C-alpha cells in the first residue's frame, strides 16, 4: 500500500515508517524538522529511513496548505498515518500558539488532504492520554467523557478528535484516533522524563522528581505501539448502528469514526521507573523532589480492552526490558553523538 506518515522524523513516526517499509509498503514521509528538540536527532532518523527502498521524504510544514496539498495529491496515499504534532504538555504553557498552528490548523489541512485523496481508505491520527485531564475514574476508557482538559496540548488533541468526527460524518473519511500513553524506547524524545533521567544519571547530575515522586504512568514501549498501528491500518472503522449505548459512547459513532487507547494497561510508579533506570545504568540518582507541574496528570492508566477485541493486541514488552533496551541504545547511539 501507499502510506503517508507525517512526523516521519519524529519518534513514533520514524519507528512506524521503519516497520511499514520492512513489511513492503511504499512510504512517503513528511516532517518540518523543527527545533522543539535537537533537529540532529530528527535528521538522523530521516537519514536512516532514506537508506531503505520504498521511502521518500519531504520537509513540509503542515501549515503550508498549498505545498502540503500538492505533495499529498501527487503521492495519492491509500492510508494516512498522521503523527506530526507539537508535542509536550509543559511547552504548551510557554508557546501556546505553536499548538494552535501545528495541532489545529495543521490537522485541518491534513483532513482536507484526506478528503481530496481519491484512493484514501483510512486516516489514522495521534491523539493523547492527556485528553483525560481531570478525569478521576481508572482505568481511563475511550468511552469516558473528556471535556475537562488541564493543558492546552490536551485541548488541541481533543479538538483533533472532534474535527476528525466532523470529516467522518460530513465526507465519509474513515478516521481512527489513537490516544497514546507515554511512549518510550530507543530513538525516543529528549524532552521526556525517562530520557532526561538517563542523561542526568549518566552525567552525574541531579534529576528533577515532580509531584514528590507520586506520579504513576502507563508506559508503552515503542515496538508495541508500532505493532498496534500496523494492525489498525486495515481495521477500518464502520458506522455503528445508532442506539442508546452508541449515542452515549464518544469512542464510536454512526459515522466511520473510532477512538482507541494505546497503552500498556499497567501503570508504573515514578519512583519505580527511576529505580529501573538506576539499575540499567548501574548508578544511583541524586533526586530533587519538587511539587506538581501545572498541566500534568498525577496518574494515567489505559483501558485497552476495545483494542484487544478489535485487533487481538496486547503489549508484550515488560517495563524492565524496555528500559534496559533504551539505556543500552542511549549509551551506544545518543550519548556518543552528544544528544
Amino acid at each position: 500500500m501507499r502510506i503517508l506518515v507525517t512526523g516521519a522524523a519524529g519518534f513514533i513516526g520514524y519507528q512506524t515508517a521503519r516497520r511499514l517499509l520492512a513489511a513492503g509498503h511504499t512510504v512517503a514521509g513528511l516532517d518540518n524538522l523543527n527545533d522543539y528538540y535537537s533537529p540532529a536527532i530528527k535528521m538522523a532518523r530521516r537519514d536512516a529511513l532514506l537508506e531503505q527502498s520504498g521511502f521518500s521524504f519531504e520537509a513540509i510544514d503542515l501549515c503550508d496548505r498549498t505545498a502540503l496539498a500538492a505533495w499529498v495529491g501527487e503521492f495519492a496515499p491509500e492510508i494516512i498515518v498522521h503523527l506530526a504534532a507539537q508535542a509536550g504538555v509543559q511547552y504548551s504553557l510557554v508557546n501556546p500558539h505553536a499548538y494552535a498552528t501545528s495541532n489545529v490548523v495543521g490537522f485541518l489541512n491534513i483532513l482536507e488532504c484526506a478528503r481530496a485523496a481519491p484512493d484514501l481508505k483510512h486516516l489514522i491520527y495521534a491523539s493523547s492520554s492527556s485528553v483525560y485531564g481531570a478525569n478521576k475514574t481508572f482505568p481511563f476508557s475511550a468511552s469516558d467523557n473528556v471535556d475537562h482538559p488541564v493543558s492546552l496540548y490536551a485541548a488541541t488533541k481533543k479538538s483533533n478528535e472532534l474535527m476528525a468526527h466532523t470529516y467522518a460524518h460530513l465526507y465519509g473519511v474513515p478516521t481512527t484516533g489513537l490516544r497514546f500513553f507515554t511512549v518510550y524506547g530507543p530513538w525516543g524524545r529528549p524532552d521526556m522524563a525517562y530520557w532526561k533521567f538517563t542523561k542526568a544519571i549518566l552525567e552525574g547530575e541531579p534529576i528533577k522528581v515532580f509531584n514528590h515522586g507520586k506520579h504513576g504512568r502507563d508506559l508503552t514501549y515503542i515496538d508495541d505501539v508500532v505493532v498496534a498501528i500496523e494492525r489498525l491500518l486495515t481495521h477500518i472503522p464502520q458506522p455503528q448502528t445508532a442506539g442508546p449505548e452508541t449515542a452515549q459512547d464518544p469512542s464510536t459513532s454512526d459515522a466511520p469514526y473510532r477512538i482507541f487507547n494505546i497503552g500498556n494497561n499497567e501503570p508504573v510508579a515514578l519512583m519505580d521507573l527511576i529505580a529501573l533506570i538506576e539499575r540499567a545504568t548501574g548508578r544511583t540518582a541524586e533526586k530533587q523532589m519538587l511539587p506538581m507541574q501545572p498541566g500534568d496528570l498525577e496518574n494515567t492508566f489505559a483501558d485497552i480492552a476495545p483494542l484487544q477485541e478489535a485487533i487481538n493486541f496486547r503489549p508484550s514488552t515488560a517495563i524492565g526490558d524496555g528500559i534496559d533496551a533504551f539505556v543500552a541504545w542511549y549509551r551506544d547511539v545518543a550519548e556518543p553523538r552528544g544528544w
Side-chain angles (χ1 to χ4, degrees):
M1 288 191 292
R2 297 186 309 278
I3 303 174
L4 167 62
V5 177
T6 72
F11 174 31
I12 302 176
Y14 164 66
Q15 298 283 27
T16 299
R18 277 185 60 191
R19 186 172 183 91
L20 297 179
L21 288 165
H25 298 291
T26 299
V27 178
L30 174 154
D31 203 293
N32 69 355
L33 302 170
N34 69 24
D35 62 356
Y36 168 62
Y37 60 82
S38 172
I41 303 172
K42 300 177 182 182
M43 289 186 284
R45 298 187 189 118
R46 175 205 61 191
D47 292 347
L49 291 172
L50 286 169
E51 293 176 358
Q52 301 188 50
S53 61
F55 182 75
S56 59
F57 180 85
E58 286 291 330
I60 297 176
D61 192 297
L62 293 176
C63 294
D64 186 346
R65 64 180 181 179
T66 301
L68 180 67
W71 184 70
V72 175
E74 183 178 351
F75 180 65
E78 297 171 87
I79 305 284
I80 296 176
V81 182
H82 177 55
L83 302 172
Q86 178 55 62
V89 168
Q90 294 308 311
Y91 189 57
S92 70
L93 278 66
V94 177
N95 188 3
H97 291 93
Y99 292 77
T101 53
S102 180
N103 297 5
V104 179
V105 175
F107 188 58
L108 174 60
N109 292 340
I110 286 292
L111 288 169
E112 280 291 289
C113 288
R115 178 163 77 105
D119 301 325
L120 189 80
K121 298 177 175 65
H122 197 184
L123 167 62
I124 298 174
Y125 64 95
S127 186
S128 169
S129 61
S130 294
V131 301
Y132 289 103
N135 286 26
K136 301 299 183 186
T137 302
F138 295 98
F140 291 150
S141 168
S143 299
D144 292 341
N145 179 289
V146 289
D147 287 341
H148 298 93
V150 296
S151 69
L152 182 65
Y153 169 65
T156 63
K157 287 301 185 178
K158 168 65 174 176
S159 75
N160 288 173
E161 296 176 1
L162 297 174
M163 294 162 72
H165 185 271
T166 301
Y167 273 66
H169 172 75
L170 288 176
Y171 309 116
V173 177
T175 66
T176 298
L178 308 181
R179 293 176 178 169
F180 292 120
F181 279 69
T182 314
V183 184
Y184 74 102
W187 291 100
R189 280 175 28 206
D191 63 315
M192 297 188 73
Y194 70 93
W195 180 305
K196 289 181 177 180
F197 291 161
T198 300
K199 179 179 174 66
I201 291 169
L202 288 173
E203 294 178 356
E205 298 293 331
I207 63 172
K208 295 180 179 180
V209 183
F210 292 101
N211 199 30
H212 302 283
K214 297 177 183 177
H215 281 306
R217 288 290 180 267
D218 199 322
L219 294 151
T220 321
Y221 191 63
I222 184 62
D223 290 5
D224 293 326
V225 168
V226 298
V227 167
I229 292 172
E230 183 181 33
R231 292 188 188 178
L232 284 166
L233 294 179
T234 54
H235 188 80
I236 299 170
Q238 301 299 318
Q240 302 298 303
T241 303
E245 292 183 1
T246 302
Q248 296 175 27
D249 185 351
S251 72
T252 64
S253 173
D254 57 3
Y257 169 90
R258 195 69 196 268
I259 298 290
F260 289 109
N261 288 333
I262 307 289
N264 203 46
N265 192 229
E266 190 174 340
V268 177
L270 179 57
M271 299 307 293
D272 291 342
L273 172 63
I274 294 169
L276 288 170
I277 297 173
E278 289 176 322
R279 186 196 70 185
T281 58
R283 304 187 185 184
T284 302
E286 178 188 344
K287 305 171 185 70
Q288 292 182 350
M289 310 305 282
L290 299 168
M292 183 91 153
Q293 295 184 101
D296 265 0
L297 306 188
E298 184 166 352
N299 295 290
T300 64
F301 181 4
D303 172 12
I304 60 171
L307 186 68
Q308 291 176 269
E309 181 180 351
I311 59 172
N312 190 28
F313 168 80
R314 183 169 184 83
S316 61
T317 308
I319 181 64
D321 295 338
I323 290 298
D324 286 348
F326 169 73
V327 171
W329 171 86
Y330 183 88
R331 282 178 147 154
D332 290 343
V333 178
E335 193 173 37
R337 300 189 192 189
W339 296 343

